[in-house]
Amino acid sequence: AQKITQTQPGMFVQEKEAVTLDCTYDTSDPSYGLFWYKQPSSGEMIFLIYQGSYDQQNATEGRYSLNFQKARKSANLVISASQLGDSAMYFCAMREGGNQFYFGTGTSLTVIP
Amino acid sequence: ETGVTQTPRHLVMGMTNKKSLKCEQHLGHNAMYWYKQSAKKPLELMFVYNFKEQTENNSVPSRFSPECPNSSHLFLHLHTLQPEDSALYLCASSQERWEGQGQYFGAGTRLSVL
């Protein structure tokens, strides 16, 4: 079974609007971390936001927030007030204990002016 | 100076060549990683080093050989590769204690095997 599932291969959003990128995960480990990364066309993966499995509140970093629904095993990324520079691939990832990381297949976001 | 630097950025090699990819991190991190990114596939973790010791080797073929001489440098030695090994190879680093922090990635090496 896939550890990380991103069901949206491509998304479009109007500039200044908000967009939600979906991510579901699969683990039986009670302790895990969830991450979102942005990968522009240049190739570098940029760390955006982190949510720990024991965190009571949803993580926020500037215009990024993570909608963590533990019972549903979902960790959706919300980008508010989209900017043209937000156009990129977005990857959801999970870490279970140790050093094992799992990544999803990514969602390509295009911001329309 | 970026946090994680990878060289070369692009590499074209024949199946009989031997080449090496280099990664250097300037962040004081303890763990370093090699990933393979192929088109339309999830990022694949290849190797993990923690304090210079290899802790993960995810069934990677022996034609890929990692080397970690210290916590700041990581190499991936390549020999007798196959065309299906063509991909973007990403290096990353992180603190050993990862709560609240993600991995920091380099810009990658785009490898083409002819």
Side-chain angles (χ1 to χ4, degrees), chain B residues 86-103:
Chain B
S86 299
L88 180 68
Y89 288 84
L90 290 164
C91 173
S93 70
S94 71
Q95 293 285 19
E96 183 194 13
R97 288 188 59 82
W98 50 274
E99 287 82 3
Q101 300 181 46
Q103 296 169 305

Side-chain angles (χ1 to χ4, degrees), chain B residues 3 7 48 67 80 82 105 109:
Chain B
T7 54
V48 183
E67 179 190 358
T80 58
Q82 304 298 310
F105 283 80
T109 295

Side-chain angles (χ1 to χ4, degrees), chain B:
Chain B
E1 192 174 71
T2 58
V4 181
T5 306
Q6 288 187 244
T7 54
R9 291 294 309 276
H10 301 274
L11 180 62
V12 180
M13 58 188 289
M15 290 192 284
T16 57
N17 291 157
K18 290 185 181 180
K19 296 285 184 185
S20 295
L21 310 185
K22 180 183 175 183
C23 177
E24 185 175 357
Q25 59 98 359
H26 310 279
L27 301 168
H29 289 165
N30 310 119
M32 296 188 77
Y33 312 76
W34 278 118
Y35 285 89
K36 176 183 179 183
Q37 186 178 27
S38 305
K40 301 189 178 169
K41 288 174 120 179
L43 218 60
E44 300 170 54
L45 180 63
M46 299 174 73
F47 301 105
V48 183
Y49 279 82
N50 206 12
F51 290 99
K52 301 190 299 177
E53 298 296 322
Q54 185 174 308
T55 58
E56 300 283 344
N57 176 350
N58 288 357
S59 303
V60 179
S62 59
R63 57 186 184 269
F64 295 91
S65 174
E67 179 190 358
C68 188
N70 54 61
S71 294
S72 300
H73 293 86
L74 185 64
F75 296 89
L76 188 63
H77 303 300
L78 316 171
H79 63 98
T80 58
L81 293 191
Q82 304 298 310
E84 61 264 29
D85 297 323
S86 299
L88 180 68
Y89 288 84
L90 290 164
C91 173
S93 70
S94 71
Q95 293 285 19
E96 183 194 13
R97 288 188 59 82
W98 50 274
E99 287 82 3
Q101 300 181 46
Q103 296 169 305
Y104 290 81
F105 283 80
T109 295
R110 176 74 61 186
L111 174 66
S112 297
V113 181
L114 305 178

Side-chain angles (χ1 to χ4, degrees), chain A residues 73-90:
Chain A
K73 293 188 175 178
S74 76
N76 298 339
L77 177 70
V78 180
I79 306 174
S80 62
S82 298
Q83 302 172 355
L84 295 178
D86 293 335
S87 294
M89 283 291 291
Y90 289 81

Side-chain angles (χ1 to χ4, degrees), chain A residues 3 13 17 34 38 42 48 58 60-61 70-71 75 79 87:
Chain A
K3 285 283 189 179
V13 64
E17 297 291 310
L34 297 159
K38 172 184 178 181
S42 58
L48 296 178
N58 287 344
T60 59
E61 288 286 347
K70 197 169 182 177
I79 306 174
S87 294

